[in-house]
Amino acid sequence: MSESNKAPLRIGILGAAAIAPNALIGPAKRNPEVVVAAVAARDRARAQEFAGKHGIGQVYDSYEALVTASDLDAVYIPLPNGLHGRWIRAAVAAGKHVLCEKPFTANAEEAREIATLAAESDRVVMEAFHYRYHPLTLEAEKIIASGELGTLTRVETALSFPLPKFADIRYDYDLAGGALMDAGCYAVHMARAFGGEEPEVVAAQAKLHDPRIDRAMSAELRFPSGHTGRIRCSMWSADLVRISATVVGERGRMRLFNPVVPQMGHALWVKSESGRRLRSFGRRPSYDYQLDAFAAAVLRGEPVPTTPEAAVANMTVIDAIYHATGLPLRLPS
């Protein structure tokens, strides 16, 4: 390994986003291989305030300046959904590795374009489904693969939380908003991960904030092997808070409590022919595990599961759910 590969991974943040301290800045302080070295925002004063608060050394005047900076190795993109694709393209073109918040792009077509671009480069492009790297999720996958539950019959996943601030960008169609895009991308991702296959959307029902924006969504799924599924998500509905995944097989049942942010408290419950058990896996944040994986992929070429190709599959299901409700697909901003 070269001396340059041993050096810390230097990451710049596009936007002074509220998610960045938990998703990247804090984990980087606990990871000796990573340094958050720069930030850029549309408002330089805001970027300077953010940098001062979080101990970030460099402030750039624009996203373009940060993406093309020669002293950065990677870019973290926590921008509104509709801007993800544009800045992934720019970062890869500038030779940067990318960690992009979910959902990866505005729709599946854009995700396919980005996946092709990433495949043609030698850069790591990773979607930030942090829950996927936590021991809770890894153990659930092992249990399913072991056959303890038997042949799968049903997978149900949910992420609902209240967001009554309707001026929030997550309700903005022009920024590729909607409950399915925000909360639902997790529910779809978990259904695919625990269902083990790419599902078909059988039916879907939306509760609307306005004619183009869903505030809640549910969908019925069917997997190629015959098991069925259901996803539920909400930013504003009677289902105020629900974060769970349930996997049912012919010989057992497994439920995950709070698989999305397990550091806030979680549990894995299994009932099978082997008996019943309840497990948890500590309070280390899922974001820390994710950053470990990103650094390992960049510095040592280790594989990750949240690839652009996997993002295409997730966005394909999201698009199909929107089609099933008659709502328009989200578009790049």
Side-chain angles (χ1 to χ4, degrees):
M1 184 183 296
S2 70
E3 288 300 313
S4 62
N5 284 340
K6 294 180 183 178
L9 173 62
R10 296 175 60 81
I11 302 180
I13 303 174
L14 292 186
I19 193 176
N22 286 335
L24 179 65
I25 296 169
K29 290 177 180 178
R30 297 184 289 270
N31 187 319
E33 294 187 318
V34 179
V35 172
V36 177
V39 63
R42 290 175 297 176
D43 179 348
R44 182 178 173 86
R46 185 178 177 213
Q48 287 177 320
E49 180 183 0
F50 187 87
K53 181 177 180 180
H54 298 291
I56 299 172
Q58 179 70 41
V59 173
Y60 285 95
D61 290 331
S62 67
Y63 297 157
E64 293 89 345
L66 185 148
V67 162
T68 57
S70 60
D71 62 342
L72 296 177
D73 306 299
V75 174
Y76 170 60
I77 304 176
L79 298 171
N81 303 336
L83 296 173
H84 288 179
R86 178 194 306 181
W87 291 105
I88 297 172
R89 290 185 190 93
V92 172
K96 301 296 189 294
H97 303 281
V98 177
L99 177 63
C100 183
E101 280 301 332
K102 74 307 254 173
F104 192 60
T105 53
N107 55 51
E109 180 181 0
E110 187 179 33
R112 282 190 288 271
E113 294 172 1
I114 298 296
T116 298
L117 181 67
E120 292 172 349
S121 76
D122 62 351
R123 302 293 86 181
V124 173
V125 178
M126 180 170 144
E127 188 175 18
F129 273 113
H130 53 101
Y131 89 95
R132 185 65 180 72
Y133 296 90
H134 194 274
L136 174 65
T137 299
L138 300 181
E139 180 65 17
E141 290 183 310
K142 288 180 183 177
I143 291 169
I144 295 168
S146 74
E148 179 181 353
L149 305 180
T151 301
L152 297 188
T153 59
R154 183 77 169 169
V155 177
E156 295 188 355
T157 61
L159 176 54
S160 297
F161 59 86
L163 184 63
K165 183 182 177 183
F166 298 117
D168 191 281
I169 62 171
R170 286 170 281 186
Y171 287 105
D172 190 337
Y173 179 80
D174 292 332
L175 293 174
L180 180 60
M181 292 291 284
D182 189 76
C185 70
Y186 278 103
V188 169
H189 201 273
M190 288 190 291
R192 293 177 45 253
F194 301 138
E197 298 173 342
E198 300 304 332
E200 171 191 359
V201 176
V202 177
Q205 183 176 17
K207 295 179 180 179
L208 299 182
H209 168 65
D210 67 34
R212 298 184 297 178
I213 286 290
D214 49 307
R215 58 182 175 83
M217 184 75 78
S218 62
E220 286 290 325
L221 309 175
R222 181 169 54 233
F223 293 87
S225 293
H227 50 297
T228 62
R230 185 187 189 195
I231 69 102
R232 286 185 290 177
C233 63
S234 169
M235 298 192 299
W236 188 244
S237 73
D239 196 19
L240 283 179
V241 179
R242 186 187 300 270
I243 311 174
S244 64
T246 301
V247 182
V248 182
E250 292 179 343
R251 298 201 303 271
R253 173 186 293 261
M254 174 176 66
R255 188 167 190 197
L256 286 74
F257 299 91
N258 194 17
V260 173
V261 279
Q263 53 268 31
M264 303 299 291
H266 68 274
L268 173 68
W269 178 80
V270 181
K271 178 183 178 182
S272 71
E273 295 172 354
S274 301
R276 301 185 183 193
R277 63 188 184 276
L278 185 66
R279 291 193 62 189
S280 62
F281 299 88
R283 300 299 289 269
R284 186 176 190 243
S286 50
Y287 296 112
D288 287 46
Y289 290 103
Q290 174 179 261
L291 188 58
D292 289 353
F294 183 65
V298 171
L299 299 175
R300 292 178 289 281
E302 295 183 16
V304 297
T306 59
T307 61
E309 292 77 17
V312 171
N314 214 57
M315 294 309 305
T316 297
V317 177
I318 289 171
D319 284 4
I321 293 172
Y322 277 128
H323 276 305
T325 62
L327 290 174
L329 298 186
R330 316 294 97 163
L331 300 174
S333 301

